[in-house]
Amino acid sequence: MRAPIRNGNEVDDLTQTSLLEREVTIESIAAGGDGLAFIELEGRRRAVFVSDAAPGDRLRVTLDPQERTLRGTLQQVIAPGPSRVAPECPHATECGGCNWMHLSFDAHAEIIPSLLQSAIRNAPAVQFHAAIQRTES
């Protein structure tokens, strides 16, 4: 569904109850494992969380603008990000047991320490000074 056009610009009318379709670019992976993108909605920058997304992905998603937390439902991968790979397991998209099978090993090695550092940094009364580094085994 297209947003109404006012003064030559698309604007979102949040009085509508239907879903919005948007094209988003995934900037990072959030703590819960979803891809994180941002959109402008009613003049505000809003975070959108998308399952099965990879950093750098350009995606077409649908979302409900009435929800407090915007969760995009993946409709189409327009352009895959550099860390997206074909899952090795043919059931990866069906069973839901392996949320990151669409991410390369290098992406895992980059994202996991970043999420860990963020969790430690945001924990109450915890001082964090060291960098987490990947070691080859």
Side-chain angles (χ1 to χ4, degrees):
M1 170 182 191
R2 304 278 309 175
I5 296 182
R6 296 185 192 135
N7 300 327
N9 297 318
E10 267 191 24
V11 288
D12 299 308
D13 182 359
L14 296 185
T15 61
Q16 300 178 31
T17 57
S18 59
L19 299 177
L20 294 175
E21 186 173 285
R22 288 287 186 268
E23 184 176 310
V24 298
T25 300
I26 301 299
E27 294 186 13
S28 62
I29 299 295
D34 289 343
L36 175 63
F38 293 93
I39 63 169
E40 287 291 323
L41 198 59
E42 280 210 331
R44 289 183 29 221
R45 186 172 189 245
R46 300 274 310 270
V48 178
F49 298 93
V50 184
S51 295
D52 302 321
D57 279 354
R58 274 192 28 237
L59 309 173
R60 185 174 329 288
V61 300
T62 55
L63 53 96
D64 183 349
Q66 300 297 327
E67 295 296 323
R68 183 174 182 195
T69 301
L70 294 178
R71 297 210 167 273
T73 302
L74 178 60
Q75 301 300 317
Q76 177 187 10
V77 176
I78 297 168
S83 59
R84 180 176 283 279
V85 297
E88 292 181 25
C89 175
H91 307 289
T93 59
E94 299 165 12
C95 76
C98 307
N99 294 345
W100 286 4
M101 284 201 82
H102 63 284
L103 297 175
S104 69
F105 176 79
D106 287 339
H108 283 231
E110 183 178 321
I111 293 167
I112 292 170
S114 172
L115 292 176
L116 179 60
Q117 285 177 335
S118 178
I120 292 170
R121 194 174 294 116
N122 294 323
V126 172
Q127 295 287 327
F128 185 74
H129 300 287
I132 297 173
Q133 296 179 354
R134 175 179 168 190
T135 60
E136 298 297 324
S137 54

